[in-house]
Amino acid sequence: MDRVFNFAPGPSMLPLPVLKKVQEELLCYADTGMSVMEMSHRSKMYLEIFDRAVAGLRDVMGVPEGYKIMFVQGGATAMFASVPMNLMDGGKADYIDSGNFAHNALVEAQKYGQVVVAGSSREDHYAYIPDYTLSPDARYVHITTNNTVYGTRWDHLPDTGSVPLVADMSSNILSEVYDVSRFGVIYAGAQKNVAPAGVVILIVREDLMGRELPITPKVMSFKKMADADSMLNTPNCFGIYVAGLVFDWIKAQGGVAELEKINIEKAKMLYDFLDESRLFKGTARRKDRSRMNVTFVTGNEQTDAQFVKEAAARGLVNLKGHRIVGGMRASIYNAMPVEGVRALVDFMKEFETKNG
Ligand SMILES: *Cc1c(COP(=O)(O)O)cnc(C)c1O
């Protein structure tokens, strides 16, 4: 069977050359006589794989000195608790409520300290990035750089002065260039742009470690995990190996800046069509449109369902919108080739002619 264009929001497509490399090395990695899945995380060979992955991320993302890179577990969802446990320190934190996951993050944080909702677009179905007012004495400011469910993206970073900026980058990490030095903490579930599910990328500025609440589970302490080099417990060895291969692939594409150009082009193809379409309509405010998750509707639920079904029959799969918003969503992460987006736009045109 041929591979499809998979528009799933996550887990999602991985680059084909990476999958082929994994296949090639699956039964016997280098001269070990075993799969990476079977290796001790303390073995010399695995530590090499691990160190390469860390170095690869540092390189492609431009992570400066003074920031620790970790690969942890529990998904971005665990980070919703880890962040306040490690940084709230008896004070308060500003949260910008820009989408479903942003909201989940702030609800979780309320268990560990005072959460100030510094801005929210919840009342307007999160169709845009809200305006916000920051507290000068917050312990940190939390944002979600790309809102996966509603298809919006921050087109700037808030100026937080000396207050650390914390970002959930789960759905757009490595899809565009970020100046890491603007952030105190960056975290991202890897299953959207980087690796199979089960790995979280965690980047923490070193001076922000060691302030965790006494109740913080050991495995969630930034400091303890950093001191143990992400090996406080058994890491997701295989997922980290795949992440390392993806970082190599990104380098081979010319780096994140090159991918960003392609991602802008891919998103533009879809949005340009949506803007002129008689049948389909984008749901996010123009200025805040995501380059990773393109959300749209026809205005008729039956037509939406028909579209999703017919698209799947053409090998354009997983276009159904998130269950809380309906409609359609095309997730076009780094690994989605331009041809996939072109095939989708062509099919949308054809569908419009028949049903518009
Ligand atoms: C997918 C996603 C999450 C949830 O990630 P898990 O790894 O499932 O916990 C959180 N935040 C954002 C922005 C996401 O896209």
Side-chain angles (χ1 to χ4, degrees), residues 15-77:
L16 193 55
V18 168
L19 293 176
K20 286 192 166 149
K21 179 92 174 157
V22 169
Q23 185 179 44
E24 201 181 290
E25 296 179 333
L26 192 68
L27 298 187
C28 180
Y29 183 86
D31 62 354
T32 61
M34 64 176 85
S35 167
V36 176
M37 281 187 261
E38 303 167 297
M39 272 178 206
S40 162
H41 60 297
R42 307 280 181 199
S43 64
K44 186 168 168 291
M45 186 56 87
Y46 186 72
L47 290 177
E48 264 178 49
I49 293 171
F50 182 89
D51 290 344
R52 261 176 65 88
V54 172
L57 179 59
R58 195 173 284 283
D59 182 11
V60 292
M61 200 167 172
V63 180
E65 287 294 302
Y67 285 80
K68 182 79 181 177
I69 293 175
M70 289 171 266
F71 294 115
V72 299
Q73 294 169 75
T77 305

Side-chain angles (χ1 to χ4, degrees), residues 74-78 80 101 144 146-148 168-171 189 191-192:
T77 305
F80 296 166
F101 291 113
T144 310
N146 183 79
N147 296 282
T148 325
D168 176 357
M169 279 194 194
S170 294
S171 52
Q191 69 273 25
K192 283 142 193 173

Side-chain angles (χ1 to χ4, degrees), residues 94 120 164 190 294:
D94 282 337
S120 178
V294 178

Side-chain angles (χ1 to χ4, degrees), residues 22 31 33 41 45 50 61 81 85 103 116 126 141 143-146 152-153 188-189 192 195 206 213 232 311 334 336:
V22 169
D31 62 354
H41 60 297
M45 186 56 87
F50 182 89
M61 200 167 172
M85 278 195 262
H103 193 75
V116 179
Y126 295 121
V141 176
I143 64 168
T144 310
T145 48
N146 183 79
T152 62
R153 160 188 174 271
K192 283 142 193 173
E206 280 162 17
L213 301 176
L232 204 58
N334 282 345
M336 173 61 69

Side-chain angles (χ1 to χ4, degrees), residues 245-293:
L245 295 179
V246 169
F247 303 144
D248 290 344
W249 175 80
I250 291 174
K251 250 181 280 183
Q253 306 309 297
V256 174
E258 279 309 306
L259 288 176
E260 179 172 0
K261 284 187 209 156
I262 298 168
N263 288 328
I264 290 172
E265 184 199 332
K266 285 179 337 196
K268 187 173 183 307
M269 278 167 66
L270 267 165
Y271 288 122
D272 281 353
F273 173 67
L274 287 172
D275 287 342
E276 67 178 35
S277 171
R278 282 170 288 115
L279 180 64
F280 299 101
K281 188 170 156 293
T283 57
R285 182 168 78 180
R286 230 169 250 242
K287 172 176 155 325
D288 301 330
R289 282 170 164 174
S290 168
R291 297 166 180 169
M292 297 285 101
N293 312 99

